[in-house]
Amino acid sequence: MVNFPDDFIKYVSNDEHLGKELLKALDEVAPISIRKNPRKITPNFENNRMIEWCKDAYFLKERPSFTLTPLFHAGTFYPQEAGSMFLDTILRSLDVPTNPVVLDLCAAPGGKSTLIASFLDGRGMLVANEVINQRAKVLRENISKWGYANTIVTNNDPSDFNRLEGFFDLVVVDAPCSGEGMFRKDEHARNEWSLQNVSLCVGRQRRIVADVWNSLKEGGYLIYSTCTFNPHENEENVKWIEENLGGQYIDVSTLNTFVKGRNGVGNYGIPGRTETEGFYIAVIQKTSELGKRVTLGKNANKGLLRIKDTTPLKGWVKLENSSFFSWNNTILDIPTAWEKDYLIVQENLHIIKWGVVVGEHARKGLIPDHDLLMCHQLRENYASVDLQEKEALQYLHGDTFALESNISNGFVQVTHEGESLGWIKNIGNRFNNLYPKEYRIRMNIQ
């Protein structure tokens, strides 16, 4: 076990707020927790226990192999640290519009974004952003598998959101931090920690919030969080936001399970006192005056071609309340009610996932996309074949094998325990495995 940095031991030992048990608790095994997708069929984990501060969330008695659980790949649940799920309590306590426009600024790998998507449950619009390209691809995959149409995934620097003046009702910033709360499960984080790094993180966090502040509506909420314990990255940053950007801290009544921040500012998950990793979260309401809201520009639909005749899509996708566009031979679906807002985002940001990819135009008809099959809101009743666990894992591995003979020819959805995993194309004596190569299981499945 890697020892804690001396400066970390010193500051924790002298901080009565953190409690005497923290250092000991950081050397213990972390709790295992998941959050279920309420719109999909979830595997039955034995001996699970509900998490009281998040809907559809559970502690598991032991950690299964998520990779070798087929329904994990179908987006039926998400392994997420329990403390960060306190976001659900926060969201349900705020007075936000019925159909809010929400930004998750530092979103990869997708835990908070999928939680927000479940909270919205098809209402409003979610923009999930990640600045690092490779992490943004992971975010796109997890958002796709979670299966909501009212989502956009972007790959932008926080400063780019200045263009979207007064656009968001709610902004979530899970800021990059010194990672003290991850010391229990990431020994590498212990080696990287230093007082100098804490100071660098404070500056970075303030720049990130300042960069995105203009995109928040007056009266809108910023939810600020870190996975660290020190006041410099937490309570002092909340005070800095209030004094320098024009905001007011909003106290959120919490469960006794969580620990109020210093001087009552924010809420902590503290190992040894809460059944979580280290986590801090606070809410600031924007009070500064705002100019005009961003509007649709002349280049908003550049490269997009509206599909007026949706007859060829019938039977592939539910057509109600949707608008369809063609983009580089790909058919995209977005909620009609949010078309204008989607186009504003498309005009100003680098989008890597826009709504739902229905499929590609082809000479012989539509080639359906995996994204469509993952979206519980849009998919139709397709011809299907249900696989047992062994065959399901083979399919997710990218393999082919013999199937029952009475399966329809053409595109067929593969399911496991009734939940969609992906497409095959049955051509009579064999099938083509269409599960996306970048999603396939790479470990030994035997």
Side-chain angles (χ1 to χ4, degrees), residues 183-392:
F183 281 3
R184 179 155 55 182
K185 67 179 184 180
D186 185 1
E187 294 182 6
H188 182 64
R190 301 187 187 188
N191 290 324
E192 290 190 336
W193 188 92
S194 68
L195 292 173
Q196 181 182 15
N197 190 38
V198 169
S199 179
L200 290 172
C201 286
V202 170
R204 184 187 302 123
Q205 291 152 356
R206 293 180 180 182
R207 286 193 300 273
I208 289 171
V209 173
D211 281 343
V212 78
W213 189 255
N214 192 51
S215 70
L216 182 62
K217 292 178 183 177
E218 182 180 359
Y221 298 98
L222 175 83
I223 301 177
Y224 175 82
S225 64
T226 71
C227 55
T228 193
F229 306 114
N230 68 76
H232 313 300
E233 299 179 70
N234 297 332
E235 292 92 343
E236 290 177 15
N237 270 349
V238 172
K239 183 178 180 181
W240 182 88
I241 294 168
E242 288 184 291
E243 294 178 347
N244 291 273
L245 299 182
Q248 180 178 355
Y249 168 71
I250 302 296
D251 184 49
V252 176
S253 297
T254 184
L255 306 164
N256 293 332
T257 313
F258 279 75
V259 179
K260 275 294 182 184
R262 299 166 182 89
N263 299 316
V265 177
N267 292 282
Y268 276 94
I270 302 178
R273 299 175 68 183
T274 58
E275 200 171 356
T276 69
E277 297 287 39
F279 184 68
Y280 175 81
I281 192 165
V283 181
I284 303 101
Q285 187 171 27
K286 184 172 183 176
T287 58
S288 58
E289 293 185 3
L290 180 69
K292 63 181 181 179
R293 185 180 186 272
V294 66
T295 56
L296 195 62
K298 62 182 180 180
N299 296 319
N301 63 346
K302 187 177 181 180
L304 291 170
L305 178 65
R306 181 185 297 277
I307 298 174
K308 297 180 179 180
D309 181 11
T310 59
T311 304
L313 300 178
K314 191 174 183 180
W316 284 110
V317 59
K318 293 175 181 174
L319 302 176
E320 298 82 7
N321 305 315
S322 289
S323 295
F324 299 91
F325 293 86
S326 180
W327 173 279
N328 294 332
N329 209 43
T330 300
I331 300 171
L332 305 173
D333 172 282
I334 64 172
T336 300
W338 294 94
E339 181 179 326
K340 181 179 178 181
D341 294 88
Y342 271 68
L343 291 174
I344 290 173
V345 174
Q346 187 259 341
E347 180 184 30
N348 288 279
L349 300 174
H350 176 219
I351 295 178
I352 63 172
K353 175 174 163 50
W354 161 314
V356 174
V357 179
V358 176
E360 292 185 13
H361 292 286
R363 184 168 51 86
K364 294 184 178 180
L366 181 77
I367 301 175
D369 195 88
H370 186 76
D371 204 30
L372 171 61
L373 200 55
M374 292 293 98
C375 184
H376 52 81
Q377 294 177 291
L378 298 176
R379 61 193 181 199
E380 290 281 19
N381 295 319
Y382 312 113
S384 65
V385 55
D386 197 70
L387 303 181
Q388 297 300 310
E389 182 177 278
K390 180 180 178 180
E391 288 182 327

Side-chain angles (χ1 to χ4, degrees), residues 6-16 18-20 23:
D6 291 340
D7 285 335
F8 177 75
I9 295 174
K10 182 178 179 180
Y11 110 68
V12 169
S13 301
N14 292 332
D15 190 336
E16 294 182 0
L18 296 177
K20 298 179 180 179
L23 293 175

Side-chain angles (χ1 to χ4, degrees), residues 14-292:
N14 292 332
D15 190 336
E16 294 182 0
H17 180 265
L18 296 177
K20 298 179 180 179
E21 298 300 314
L22 176 57
L23 293 175
K24 178 182 177 183
L26 287 175
D27 265 338
E28 297 173 349
V29 177
I32 303 157
S33 50
I34 64 160
R35 183 171 37 78
K36 294 184 177 183
N37 188 330
R39 294 296 182 179
K40 294 193 176 185
I41 300 168
T42 311
N44 182 27
F45 294 104
E46 295 182 358
N47 302 314
N48 61 62
R49 178 167 48 88
M50 291 183 64
I51 296 175
E52 57 182 323
W53 54 86
C54 182
K55 187 178 180 182
D56 301 312
Y58 299 84
F59 287 113
L60 303 184
K61 186 174 182 180
E62 56 186 27
R63 183 182 182 90
S65 173
F66 295 126
T67 301
L68 298 181
T69 304
L71 290 182
F72 167 67
H73 302 272
T76 70
F77 68 95
Y78 193 98
Q80 186 176 5
E81 198 283 306
S84 66
M85 295 188 209
F86 188 64
L87 174 62
D88 187 67
T89 292
I90 299 287
L91 292 172
R92 297 180 189 282
S93 70
L94 297 180
D95 183 19
V96 296
T98 302
N99 292 288
V101 183
V102 182
L103 169 63
D104 186 3
L105 183 65
C106 311
K112 292 183 179 65
S113 289
T114 53
L115 186 154
I116 295 167
S118 290
F119 165 75
L120 293 174
D121 196 24
R123 299 177 297 110
M125 184 175 78
L126 169 64
V127 178
N129 178 73
E130 174 56 45
V131 65
I132 300 173
N133 184 265
Q134 199 59 37
R135 285 171 56 82
K137 293 177 181 178
V138 176
L139 173 64
R140 177 179 60 191
E141 176 182 348
N142 286 325
I143 289 290
S144 173
K145 290 178 177 179
W146 207 247
Y148 284 91
N150 59 328
T151 56
I152 298 174
V153 179
T154 58
N155 177 209
N156 283 84
D157 186 85
S159 60
D160 295 338
F161 287 86
N162 257 314
R163 306 166 192 160
L164 297 177
E165 185 175 4
F167 189 71
F168 297 102
D169 299 291
L170 177 66
V171 174
V172 177
V173 178
D174 187 32
C177 66
S178 59
E180 298 166 355
M182 295 293 103
F183 281 3
R184 179 155 55 182
K185 67 179 184 180
D186 185 1
E187 294 182 6
H188 182 64
R190 301 187 187 188
N191 290 324
E192 290 190 336
W193 188 92
S194 68
L195 292 173
Q196 181 182 15
N197 190 38
V198 169
S199 179
L200 290 172
C201 286
V202 170
R204 184 187 302 123
Q205 291 152 356
R206 293 180 180 182
R207 286 193 300 273
I208 289 171
V209 173
D211 281 343
V212 78
W213 189 255
N214 192 51
S215 70
L216 182 62
K217 292 178 183 177
E218 182 180 359
Y221 298 98
L222 175 83
I223 301 177
Y224 175 82
S225 64
T226 71
C227 55
T228 193
F229 306 114
N230 68 76
H232 313 300
E233 299 179 70
N234 297 332
E235 292 92 343
E236 290 177 15
N237 270 349
V238 172
K239 183 178 180 181
W240 182 88
I241 294 168
E242 288 184 291
E243 294 178 347
N244 291 273
L245 299 182
Q248 180 178 355
Y249 168 71
I250 302 296
D251 184 49
V252 176
S253 297
T254 184
L255 306 164
N256 293 332
T257 313
F258 279 75
V259 179
K260 275 294 182 184
R262 299 166 182 89
N263 299 316
V265 177
N267 292 282
Y268 276 94
I270 302 178
R273 299 175 68 183
T274 58
E275 200 171 356
T276 69
E277 297 287 39
F279 184 68
Y280 175 81
I281 192 165
V283 181
I284 303 101
Q285 187 171 27
K286 184 172 183 176
T287 58
S288 58
E289 293 185 3
L290 180 69
K292 63 181 181 179

